[in-house]
Amino acid sequence: MVYLCIMIFRILFLFLAFMATNSIAVADQQTYIVHMDKTKLKVSIHSHDRSKPWSESIIYFISEASMQEEEEKEEILAPQLLYTYETTMFGFAAQLSKKHLKYLNQVDGFLSAIPDELSTLHTTYTPHFLGLDNGSALWSASNLASDMIIGVIDSGIWPEHISFQDSGLSPVPSHWKGVCEQGTNFSASDCNKKLIGARTYFKGYEKVFGKLNETVSYLSPRDSEGHGTHTASTAAGNVVKNANLYGQAGGTASGMRYTSRIAVYKVCWPKGCANSDILAAVDQAVSDGVDVLSLSLGSDPKPFYDDLIAVASFGATKKGVFVACSAGNKGPSPSTVSNGAPWIMTVAASSTDRSFPTEVMLGNGKFFKGTSLYQGNLTNQLPLVFGKSAGTKKEAQHCSEGSLDPKLVHGKIVVCERGKNGRTEMGEVVKVAGGAGMIVLNAENQGEEIYADLHILPATSLGASEGKTIETYIQSDKKPTASISFMGTKFGDPAPVMGAFSSRGPSIVGPDVIKPDVTAPGVNILAAWPPKTSPSFIMNDKREVLFNILWGTSMSCPHVSGIAALLKSLHKDWSPAAIKSALMTTAYTLNNKGAPISDMASDNKAFATPFAFGSGHVNPVSAFDPGLVYDIGTEDYLNYLCSLNYTSSQIALLSRGKFACSKKAVLQAGDLNYPSFAVLFDRSALNANVTYTRVVTNVGKPQSAYAVKVKQPDGVSVTVEPRVLKFEKVGQKLSYKVTFLAVGKARVAGTSSFGSLIWVSGRYQVRSPIALTWK
């Protein structure tokens, strides 16, 4: 018996030792995105089989080299190739160990290996708000006839949705080379003349989180999250009459260019989107033949050579593809903007004049205005209780799961403070505990921005200032009460107003370029939704809807993607930079009441700045005919990277090894031919000055003269030479210089002031914002 126990112990010990060794080997491996210089690659040196792709040959070489160290053979796991990139960048993604990286460094043409990371996912009325409707010349039959393909990099699509039907569409564009991949609950027949392509990417994601649950996430282009369906229909969904969410926001829904074709690339899953998968999708989308790419996702800002979305989008732009990305939802903190590369159209988010108001009436007669998508009758005057005093746990303040005492909340309206759990999730907790309603309050640092949510019980959101008053009332009244009334859909609010959540500039990566570029509708946007996905994001909510209302820069981005497709179909000879310029220089900065655009991040909704909205709110009707454009070529972008003092190997990640910085030219980042001006002055430098050069191309009237108007930022004198630009023909290019001279007293580091430079000719006003920042 003792012998048997000893044998069992030895076997168990050996098994655990083996598992530990194997675990160490697995832990040492992770996914890397590897950049290669194609011009220096010598695959034949390392290739075991010259018929195999170059990336497989490299993997074979580093695997063999690693295994030759005899004493570590049992601990070495073979490298695993995930993707090969050849269109927008040159390289591959693979599972590699530190030892593999050592041998990878010996391969000719190796540039860098960047660890894979996760990015996160950052309409009935908006076409009308943007001036796009059946009366608009931009939506005339001739302008919509051209075949544009919008590639949507997101969480997939619900192909049966009415927004993606193909009745009346012409055959699939001849330049399309993509496919419709089969998978879980998705077949090739789910594509049509509207949804012309669908692919799925998950290898990078599974290396981090393990195998996906196919019954929950659909291992196919089918969307289980809802995000991708929503963004795809916002960009290019069909015209759908009587679209609404339980009677709210009713009207005719459509994408910005509703005749565009859609190609879907599913890269996002329940816990995020792996950059290796995003790169593979962008690479394939450009090869497939998309005209516009829409990416409502991103990660924290980082240098452009380390920013894989920036690298991939640079390659796409070189191929003539317009790339729009969301700015991120980390506002209102400064310098939070992501996707800030100058070749990307970076989109902030703001409101329309449509809202979903509620009214909260306290027992003392005071009332407050809130917002909610709950559709039902007003509540009676009910007992009111604070969550933090209605439970035994600290989490009761935020109405977290299991924190409320049913005896203390039954039949009452519960006041919950926003925390880590979702607002609709709070409502479920209150309802399970027997509560009759809920008021969601902002914490003091969350200000007055409130969100309309599709709650499962009578509930509304209120700002931080109202929260203080309600707390005082509850503490001072022996029997506090409240009622909530729901007022449906209202129009006519001052708009646009910048969303406080929308990420802000200045860019910490490229401060010489104002980011974001423009703002677009991103608050309370109604668009298509998968009927099997909970509209409140609560698993137990079994309601099925065809349209849902969401907010975020994820919602504003596809508006601009669709508008870009519209402009591209009208101006086929325009580059992505020219389209971007048209959208920026025609953007407006006044709201529908004639006042400057305000900011939800401020208690009194103070005026927003270019670090919130860029050049302003996108205006597609004016962008169709902008008068002048600021064009930028590939070499211009690379010279800009040189001006940032990037090394040759860092620049090679984007140039693919075919460019060298000039050793003679003096390069300034501010000389990039961008449609805005970011000026950086050292606060201690008296009479500091800088001169930037710009080149504009005439796309308006053949013979025209433009005079300059300047609104100088505080603390700087602006001189423009020449002050008049005279054009003789369309396509003519003229240059001008702008000199910025610091004047007045010394400034506080980190402060900014703003102005504008406008070229005026008749009805044309070509406007560029100026942002002056003191370092």
Side-chain angles (χ1 to χ4, degrees), residues 425-445:
E425 292 172 3
M426 294 179 187
E428 183 182 33
V429 172
V430 172
K431 185 174 183 179
V432 168
M438 178 180 68
I439 297 173
V440 179
L441 296 181
N442 282 359
E444 189 169 354
N445 64 348

Side-chain angles (χ1 to χ4, degrees), residues 755-767:
S756 61
L757 184 155
I758 310 173
W759 289 102
V760 181
S761 177
R763 61 184 175 83
Y764 293 116
Q765 292 199 38
V766 187
R767 181 183 176 279

